[in-house]
Amino acid sequence: MLAFTLRRLVVALSVAFTVSVIAFALLHLSGDLAITIAGPEASPAQVEEVRHQYGLDRPLPIQYLDWLWHAAHLDFGNSFFFRESVTALISERMPVTMRLGAIALTLSLVVAVPLGVLAAVYRGTAIDRLALSFCVLGQAIPTFCLGLALIIVFAVNLRWLPVSGTATWQSYVLPSVALGWYAIPAVMRLSRNGMLEVLSQDYIRTARAKGLSPTKVVLKHALRNAIIPVVALAAVQFGFMLGGSIVVEAVFSMHGIGHLAWEAISRNDFPVVQAVVLILAGIYITLTFLADVVNALLDPRMRVA
Amino acid sequence: MAFVRSHFSSALAAALIALAPAAAHADKARDTLVYASDTEAENVGPYHNNVREGVIIARHAFDNLIFHDLATGKYQPQLATSWTWVDPQTLDLTIRKGVTFHNGDPLTADDVVFTLNWAVSPEAKVVTKQNVAWIKSAEKIGDDKVRIHLNGPFPAAIEYLSGPVVIYPQKYFEKVGLDGFAKAPIGSGPYKITAVTPGKGVTMEKNTNYWKDSPLGQPSIGKLVFRIIPDQETQLAELMTGGVDWIWRVQADQAKQLEAAPNLTVLAAETMRVGFLQLDAQGASPGSEPLKDPRVRQAIAYAIDRKAMLDNLVRGGARIMNSACFIDQFGCTDKGVPRYDYDPAKAKKLLAEAGYPNGFSIDLYAYREREYAEAVIGYLDAVGIKAKLNFLKYAAMRELSRANKTPITFQTWGSFSVADASAFTGVWFKGDADDRARDQQVTDMLKKADTTVETEARLAAYAEALKVIAERAYLVPLFSYSSNYAFTKDLEFSAQPDELPRFFTARWK
Amino acid sequence: MSETLPSALKAASLDQAPPRRSALSTFLVGSLGHGGLMAGAIVLAAIVLIALAAPLVAPHDPYAQNLARRLIPPVWDARGTWDHILGTDKLGRDYLSRLIYGARISLLIGSVTVLISGTIGTAIGVCAGYFGGRVDAVLSYLVTTRLALPVVLVALASAALVGSSLQGVIVVLGLLLWDRFAVVTRAATQQIAGSDYIAAAKAIGCSTPRIVLTEILPNILNPLIVVATLEMAHAILLEAALSFLGLGVQPPLPSWGLMISEGKQYMFFSPWVIAIPAVALVFLVLAINLVGDGLRDVTAPENRN
């Protein structure tokens, strides 16, 4: 088990390292940083001064290591637009995205797992077909269309919920639905398949043969085992959701890190962009690493990697 | 399974009941006016942004030396109780006593001297140099007396002092520095800034100690909240559901529809903002080679049906502009200035003469009123010019434009609400960062006009410069903007032609 | 599916099918009996035909603007006219014509993106599956890295860097969406690589490229086509999201995502402006997904739900 964990850790770290190189490249591809920092009216001499002052005249590998060292200490420099530390900007907005992602994930699990279980238990019936059709249809609706439709119906026409912003907990309801929607098909398919697999297994047949009620069999025995892969997927989905929240945050004008990154991109403010890329990737890598380890703990078959 | 289901549905029902009375965040009862706009100032400090949202905040949180009364057109005392021209290059002012900044520090002649000298210093890196470039230095010549030395005669000085030039608190600014000031600015105006949240907005509270005799009057509404909402439809939805109280720049179609809403007031008013296409006549940006030929630039001007755009898209009292300035500014005229009325055939002919019978491809940059830019692209397409739209945030577009990377730029300029043509021409043609024509002859003509003291001669000098600018078609003036304001019926608000909403004169009904 | 893949790869390969050679006859019989596949195929074929014949079927020039005839509602509205069946947009351009030409853009983006990402992903997957060992480890790590990158954010940032344009969007998406191809072809190749006929081919001295081209590729074609179909839908949705956020295809090109984005300003008072392209987009994606799901069911019947 230790060897497995260590191997996975090495992979996670090397992936993190590669992502950091990409993030660093993103920043340097955005233009001559010295010119951007010095401002459009700076004379060539001033630009050179900035270049030297910020160490931009050193070889790229050195600059990268220096940048990595600071990034590892959560120091991503200053935003070109706000002239404020990127870390401060991000930490202020992080809770919004985290909250949004967590609620959305909970919502999608609450809908998708029961739906998947139902579909498996009633395999081949109308319920199953309905659930699967719902999945196919769900995948075809773009997040932003759903978001706009939710605004029109629930915010503007019914006036139940706020249109935008993050002022109250109500503000999170519509965005979470829009974001969670996106994860439902994957979670549902997985819980359905997991359930189908478990239901065909011997111990379930034994339990049934012993005369236990079908509901009890499903809830007490099958669900517990079928849920393991769903937990792992949930962790991965959470990572995907944080990345996908950019569209939802834009539709609902929520000030999370997705929105921040989007605005930063359209303002050519790449210190912010690379920091968000790095942080989201870091969260994703950590989550999948943990999911692998937890999975391996629960299911020894997986430790052979 | 049944258990899970019933539990879930009852929870959902409970949630819906709890949600039913969705809280409105803005209203008369809470004495809080929430206003929304789409752009954010990179720095709330009035000298370090050039966006309208920043100008609005500046006029609420800071005081000017002189007040321009739009109703009478006269200049009145504000922080300066009186002023006299010693000679065309020297202005003496007497500073009012008893005015305090929001932190309680008294506002003195020292603050005025400090502000002006700092603003003209190169390390201040003021964003719009034209606003202060006329000042050489300021000095204290008595307890409450300040003398401003000008770089040359500049008759519009008073107009600038009543507009973009606001007074900073020396002690506080020196303590916190430029960055600290951007986070927590302090002025002496009718509202004090209580919070600046990047990306979200600015909160202001009524300055209950605002000085009694201010020509701005005393503020009435307790709290102002500026919310940045980038999307127009979100602004509209928020307004309709009571999330915000006041929005502006409502697209003409929507404004017409909103008029039917019983709880809203819709106002349309022309503003000083002029929309125009800035053409890279130097050919410095990628793909802008054709624009070096004046015939191509003229062809672009002929290709656009400004009247159709005005009648169908802009509406609401806006006018076609033919000169590189707002027509009601002092010195602005379109008499004797060549006009480019819609004539696609002529545009094609000019393009053919310039060697582009089949047109060419080019990039067009824009940052607001996307449909205007798209209409322009449609007209250019009709004469063979294939323009691709690059729609950016203002800050990014400005950066690219100043770095000579935008062939055609759809600019708009509100002249900082300064009613003098120099506030327009000075920014776009006097060799500063936003000047893409870099025509020394035009720059010299404008310098002469700016520094001419005698009124008739000054008018003539501008007319001459504007004629040359139009002949060479460095920019294609399109039209003035009308702004459609929409706000809650509870609010008493009047719009001014200078595109400066004054919430300190607004009150609840 | 190998037991040893990290969770991240599993999440990416949820919809993958085990490879199986299927006879043409079973395929045809299967497809005809598969309602979803037939429905999807008919809708998709109709959209493709209309897109190909755009100049013939479009009633107007999609770029011709007439500001005096802006925002005319569709024909079913009382103010509508038969001259503009789906009305006109904010610049008075015929909406039906724009929709028809927009189908071209969406399909072009979908197919070329899949061509690029499919080539990259298949190359990686086949190499990893065929050579195994170190090569597999390195390539799996590549896929993991790619999955760690938040796709929307990186696509937005890259689109901003290369300049938003049709070509830019296609290249960016093509370089980003190869992960599922890699995962699926890797698994498929692994199964074949150990088979007797590959061993036989090796024994008679066939070169590796030849084995890959003549033995492996034809045998992994089925899962490849399934993934290509589903990824095409994915690419179309992502393009719509990029255009919606303003960094995708640029005006005056009529992409459906862009039409939705431009229409949202009018969604409260002229809802058809946003509803028409949104419905078209949902139909297209739905049709492609149905075809993809159907193909998987038909080509891999043992995986059929």
Side-chain angles (χ1 to χ4, degrees):
Chain A
M1 186 60 208
L2 186 66
F4 169 83
T5 312
L6 280 178
R7 263 199 308 275
R8 280 283 184 261
L9 191 64
V10 170
V11 172
L13 285 177
S14 48
V15 168
F17 172 78
T18 318
V19 170
S20 76
V21 174
I22 294 173
F24 181 75
L26 218 49
L27 176 65
H28 280 261
L29 285 173
S30 70
D32 188 333
L33 297 179
I35 293 178
T36 315
I37 297 170
E41 288 159 67
S43 65
Q46 281 169 313
V47 171
E48 286 318 306
E49 199 189 305
V50 167
R51 195 183 302 284
H52 185 70
Q53 192 190 335
Y54 284 78
L56 294 167
D57 47 359
R58 295 171 300 169
L60 272 180
I62 305 280
Q63 285 189 50
Y64 167 72
L65 288 178
D66 186 45
W67 171 85
L68 190 66
W69 175 255
H70 284 104
H73 294 79
L74 293 180
D75 173 8
F76 298 101
N78 278 357
S79 150
F80 291 156
F81 180 77
F82 291 113
R83 310 267 160 202
E84 200 180 317
S85 111
V86 171
T87 313
L89 285 168
I90 289 180
S91 53
E92 194 193 325
R93 286 164 172 78
M94 202 65 195
V96 171
T97 305
M98 283 298 198
R99 233 173 276 153
L100 177 62
I103 302 174
L105 182 66
T106 316
L107 269 178
S108 63
L109 287 178
V110 163
V111 176
V113 173
L115 212 59
V117 171
L118 266 181
V121 174
Y122 298 101
R123 179 185 186 180
T125 66
I127 296 180
D128 188 20
R129 275 198 296 276
L130 208 67
L132 286 173
S133 319
F134 173 69
C135 266
V136 180
L137 186 66
Q139 276 174 324
I141 298 179
T143 322
F144 52 90
C145 287
L146 182 67
L148 293 175
L150 290 172
I151 291 181
I152 293 180
V153 175
F154 294 99
V156 174
N157 287 331
L158 295 172
R159 309 226 166 165
W160 286 352
L161 294 159
V163 174
S164 69
T166 49
T168 58
W169 66 266
Q170 285 102 325
S171 317
Y172 285 90
V173 178
L174 295 183
S176 304
V177 173
L179 186 59
W181 176 268
Y182 160 83
I184 288 179
V187 178
M188 204 215 89
R189 277 176 199 234
L190 193 65
S191 28
R192 178 178 176 276
N193 291 348
M195 201 69 191
L196 281 179
E197 197 183 316
V198 176
L199 283 178
S200 66
Q201 247 142 57
D202 290 345
Y203 69 99
I204 297 289
R205 290 203 204 117
T206 319
R208 275 190 177 151
K210 279 199 294 192
L212 287 175
S213 81
T215 319
K216 215 167 181 181
V217 171
V218 168
L219 287 181
K220 267 200 131 170
H221 299 273
L223 190 58
R224 195 189 303 159
N225 291 306
I227 210 86
I228 296 172
V230 176
V231 171
L233 178 73
V236 178
Q237 281 294 338
F238 186 69
F240 279 146
M241 271 184 179
L242 294 184
S245 74
I246 190 164
V247 177
V248 173
E249 286 178 22
V251 169
F252 291 93
S253 291
M254 300 183 85
H255 298 280
I257 55 169
H259 197 268
L260 179 72
W262 175 45
E263 300 231 284
I265 289 170
S266 48
R267 286 187 186 119
N268 211 19
D269 190 358
F270 270 80
V272 175
V273 179
Q274 48 105 352
V276 175
V277 168
L278 205 56
I279 287 173
L280 287 181
I283 292 175
Y284 178 86
I285 293 167
T286 315
L287 283 175
T288 45
F289 169 68
L290 291 178
D292 284 343
V293 174
V294 171
N295 255 352
L297 277 177
L298 293 173
D299 187 351
R301 278 181 304 167
M302 299 191 64
R303 282 179 218 163
V304 262
Chain B
M1 221 34 244
F3 161 75
V4 176
R5 198 168 36 190
S6 71
H7 201 74
F8 172 64
S9 57
S10 65
L12 189 69
L16 287 179
I17 292 162
L19 295 177
H25 312 296
D27 53 19
K28 182 181 170 182
R30 289 168 48 186
D31 199 14
T32 300
L33 172 74
V34 181
Y35 71 98
S37 191
D38 54 15
T39 308
E40 122 163 86
E42 67 264 45
N43 182 326
V44 188
Y47 293 99
H48 288 90
N49 70 72
N50 61 350
V51 298
R52 184 57 36 170
E53 287 75 4
V55 179
I56 296 171
I57 293 166
R59 296 300 179 91
H60 283 77
F62 295 86
D63 273 316
N64 287 107
L65 289 166
I66 295 166
F67 175 72
H68 185 179
D69 189 341
L70 289 177
T72 62
K74 295 245 163 25
Y75 294 102
Q76 288 179 6
Q78 194 167 341
L79 287 178
T81 50
S82 65
W83 58 94
T84 46
W85 284 102
V86 179
D87 61 57
Q89 298 193 53
T90 314
L91 180 66
D92 281 358
L93 305 106
T94 309
I95 306 304
R96 187 182 299 273
K97 288 203 159 111
V99 177
T100 56
F101 286 110
H102 298 145
N103 62 354
D105 290 350
L107 188 153
T108 64
D110 290 316
D111 295 301
V112 177
V113 170
F114 163 77
T115 305
L116 300 182
N117 284 332
W118 165 78
V120 296
S121 69
E123 58 268 28
K125 286 193 175 164
V126 169
V127 169
T128 308
K129 289 224 169 67
Q130 171 70 16
N131 287 339
V132 290
W134 51 275
I135 300 171
K136 189 171 166 199
S137 64
E139 63 171 323
K140 194 173 164 186
I141 52 164
D143 190 26
D144 53 354
K145 295 264 193 301
V146 170
R147 170 166 293 174
I148 303 176
H149 299 282
L150 278 62
N151 277 323
F154 189 60
I158 305 295
E159 177 65 20
Y160 282 85
L161 289 179
S162 71
V165 181
V166 297
I167 302 306
Y168 275 16
Q170 176 179 13
K171 241 170 82 188
Y172 178 74
F173 187 87
E174 284 178 340
K175 197 177 89 194
V176 297
L178 183 57
D179 289 340
F181 197 76
K183 282 177 195 147
I186 279 182
S188 61
Y191 280 89
K192 46 186 176 190
I193 296 172
T194 52
V196 180
T197 323
K200 268 185 172 169
V202 175
T203 312
M204 290 179 272
E205 256 167 49
K206 178 160 77 177
N207 176 8
T208 44
N209 290 324
Y210 193 50
W211 50 286
K212 289 275 170 320
D213 312 320
S214 172
L216 304 185
Q218 292 295 319
S220 159
I221 295 170
K223 206 170 159 191
L224 298 179
V225 177
F226 162 42
R227 256 186 79 184
I228 301 155
I229 304 182
D231 292 328
Q232 167 114 93
E233 67 279 1
T234 314
Q235 290 184 13
L236 270 179
E238 286 284 11
L239 180 73
M240 290 191 285
T241 56
V244 305
D245 302 294
W246 184 99
I247 62 175
W248 66 340
R249 298 170 175 173
V250 181
Q251 210 264 340
D253 303 296
Q254 268 91 320
K256 214 169 129 197
Q257 306 273 5
L258 280 183
E259 279 168 8
N263 56 339
L264 298 177
T265 309
V266 179
L267 270 184
E270 189 195 18
T271 70
M272 280 176 71
R273 183 168 300 275
V274 175
F276 59 94
L277 302 180
Q278 189 182 23
L279 308 177
D280 182 9
Q282 297 184 93
S285 44
S288 64
E289 192 62 25
L291 298 178
K292 283 165 86 172
D293 191 323
R295 288 170 297 189
V296 172
R297 304 198 295 267
Q298 288 165 346
I300 291 175
Y302 278 121
I304 297 162
D305 189 350
R306 294 176 294 167
K307 188 170 181 315
M309 287 180 72
L310 192 72
D311 291 346
N312 297 295
L313 292 172
V314 190
R315 298 192 284 218
R319 288 175 279 175
I320 287 179
M321 292 290 138
N322 295 301
S323 276
C325 46
F326 176 65
I327 195 70
D328 291 348
Q329 281 174 320
F330 179 88
C332 186
T333 179
D334 58 5
K335 291 205 180 66
V337 168
R339 291 186 186 218
Y340 300 93
D341 291 326
Y342 180 51
D343 192 344
K346 193 156 182 186
K348 276 188 187 156
K349 201 171 139 252
L350 281 166
L351 283 175
E353 281 172 20
Y356 301 99
N358 301 316
F360 51 87
S361 294
I362 200 156
D363 277 328
L364 186 145
Y365 286 75
Y367 73 103
R368 53 180 280 178
E369 279 90 19
R370 192 178 172 126
E371 66 272 22
Y372 298 180
E374 286 187 47
V376 166
I377 286 174
Y379 286 124
L380 292 181
D381 185 72
V383 298
I385 301 174
K386 304 271 174 227
K388 194 187 91 184
L389 177 62
N390 297 268
F391 197 79
L392 304 174
K393 297 255 176 222
Y394 179 64
M397 190 188 88
R398 187 182 73 190
E399 192 184 313
L400 288 178
S401 165
R402 288 183 168 187
N404 272 327
K405 286 180 182 160
T406 59
I408 302 182
T409 323
F410 195 125
Q411 298 272 14
T412 79
W413 190 243
S415 302
F416 274 87
S417 297
V418 172
D420 189 278
S422 64
F424 198 107
T425 52
V427 171
W428 302 100
F429 290 102
K430 268 176 75 183
D432 283 342
D434 289 312
D435 180 0
R436 302 284 302 277
R438 306 268 160 178
D439 183 328
Q440 195 54 43
Q441 196 192 348
V442 170
T443 304
D444 292 342
M445 290 170 94
L446 287 171
K447 275 193 179 141
K448 185 179 144 233
D450 285 358
T451 53
T452 303
V453 180
E454 201 269 313
T455 306
E456 287 307 315
R458 189 159 182 251
L459 288 174
Y462 278 123
E464 201 190 336
L466 290 169
K467 185 171 158 245
V468 174
I469 291 171
E471 275 169 358
R472 298 181 185 170
Y474 289 130
L475 54 79
V476 181
L478 297 170
F479 34 72
S480 64
Y481 274 51
S482 71
S483 181
N484 294 298
Y485 304 82
F487 47 89
T488 163
K489 271 244 157 39
D490 290 338
L491 188 70
E492 204 177 295
F493 171 85
S494 54
Q496 303 286 352
D498 61 359
E499 206 190 355
L500 248 174
R502 291 165 170 82
F503 297 117
F504 46 80
T505 64
R507 51 199 75 237
W508 299 112
K509 276 186 192 153
Chain C
M1 188 79 243
S2 147
E3 296 279 14
T4 62
L5 269 185
S7 311
L9 299 200
K10 277 209 186 137
S13 63
L14 273 182
D15 299 321
Q16 75 97 22
R20 159 81 37 140
R21 304 183 105 176
S22 78
L24 187 65
S25 57
T26 18
F27 174 79
L28 281 179
V29 170
S31 347
L32 288 173
H34 195 286
L37 177 59
M38 285 312 288
I42 290 171
V43 173
L44 184 59
I47 296 177
V48 171
L49 269 181
I50 291 175
L52 287 177
L56 301 174
V57 286
H60 296 268
D61 175 357
Y63 302 104
Q65 71 187 26
N66 182 352
L67 296 186
R69 292 174 68 78
R70 303 171 61 238
L71 294 172
I72 297 174
V75 70
W76 56 82
D77 189 281
R79 293 162 296 151
T81 118
W82 279 104
D83 195 27
H84 299 287
I85 296 170
L86 293 182
T88 60
D89 73 355
K90 59 183 179 179
L91 298 178
R93 297 175 294 203
D94 183 61
Y95 222 43
L96 177 61
S97 308
R98 286 188 75 70
L99 199 70
I100 290 172
Y101 275 87
R104 284 185 153 191
I105 309 275
S106 290
L107 288 171
L108 182 75
I109 287 171
S111 43
V112 181
T113 299
V114 162
L115 213 62
I116 299 173
S117 60
T119 310
I120 300 173
T122 309
I124 290 180
V126 169
C127 284
Y130 184 76
F131 296 110
R134 289 253 164 92
V135 180
D136 184 31
V138 169
L139 295 174
S140 294
Y141 144 82
L142 267 186
V143 180
T144 318
T145 309
R146 159 47 211 96
L147 285 170
L149 292 171
V151 106
V152 181
L153 184 53
V154 173
L156 278 174
S158 322
L161 288 181
V162 302
S164 323
S165 65
L166 185 59
Q167 299 90 320
V169 169
I170 290 177
V171 169
V172 166
L173 292 183
L175 292 181
L176 273 174
L177 296 183
W178 48 265
D179 51 282
R180 204 176 285 185
F181 283 102
V183 173
V184 171
T185 49
R186 171 180 173 272
T189 310
Q190 271 176 348
Q191 292 205 354
I192 304 169
S195 64
D196 295 342
Y197 60 91
I198 299 288
K202 276 183 188 162
I204 59 167
C206 283
S207 66
T208 307
R210 200 190 146 125
I211 296 178
V212 169
L213 283 178
T214 59
E215 300 296 336
I216 295 187
L217 274 184
N219 284 301
I220 60 169
L221 210 53
N222 283 341
L224 202 56
I225 290 172
V226 172
V227 182
T229 323
L230 296 173
E231 282 304 286
M232 187 170 166
H234 191 187
I236 290 172
L237 279 179
L238 256 180
E239 179 274 321
L242 292 191
S243 296
F244 180 81
L245 293 175
L247 286 158
V249 175
Q250 294 299 311
L253 278 184
S255 130
W256 289 355
L258 192 59
M259 287 169 80
I260 296 173
S261 172
E262 292 179 346
K264 75 187 156 91
Q265 213 186 339
Y266 303 87
M267 70 180 183
F268 298 118
F269 304 118
S270 315
W272 80 87
V273 179
I274 187 163
I276 289 171
V279 168
L281 185 61
V282 171
F283 262 96
L284 175 61
V285 175
L286 189 60
I288 298 177
N289 278 342
L290 282 175
V291 170
D293 283 354
L295 283 179
R296 177 178 47 211
D297 291 351
V298 173
T299 55
E302 77 280 14
N303 198 44
R304 189 166 182 165
N305 297 312

